[in-house]
Amino acid sequence: MTALADPLSARPADAWDLERILGLLDKLPEPYRYALIETAIHGREYVEVAQELNLKVGGLKSRVSDARVMLRELETGGRLRRRASKYSPAGVQVAA
């Protein structure tokens, strides 16, 4: 059985507590969670996901990168420390 890819680094997924990862993913704003899951976990091509979301590839890459930063913040501090305006498209609420 193949383990899920680690969305934060190249470390094997078995080094992570799967429940903790899923819990952290659930805390991400939906646009960032979806972008990260589709590319890092499901392995879909950036071009394909960008077209689906009506984004440029660079915009999707930024969204995935921001999602990774947010996951690291959640992992280390328990909440997002970035300004909510950066991570709150379309009224998504994020702890400031």
Side-chain angles (χ1 to χ4, degrees), residues 18-96:
L18 183 56
E19 286 185 35
R20 178 123 173 98
I21 292 172
L22 294 175
L24 293 173
L25 285 170
D26 283 343
K27 293 179 182 179
L28 292 179
E30 175 59 28
Y32 298 91
R33 179 175 54 240
Y34 184 81
L36 183 62
I37 288 171
E38 292 304 306
T39 57
I41 296 175
H42 291 250
R44 291 178 60 196
E45 296 291 328
Y46 280 88
V47 172
E48 178 186 7
V49 177
Q51 288 174 344
E52 175 186 332
L53 298 175
N54 199 29
L55 294 172
K56 293 182 179 179
V57 173
L60 177 64
K61 287 181 178 183
S62 291
R63 193 173 284 186
V64 170
S65 176
D66 288 345
R68 288 182 172 132
V69 168
M70 287 187 273
L71 279 178
R72 284 188 189 99
E73 289 175 353
L74 288 167
E75 178 66 21
T76 60
R79 57 181 259 212
L80 298 176
R81 288 177 265 160
R82 300 271 183 182
R83 293 182 326 198
S85 60
K86 175 165 173 93
Y87 298 126
S88 301
V92 175
Q93 297 299 313
V94 178

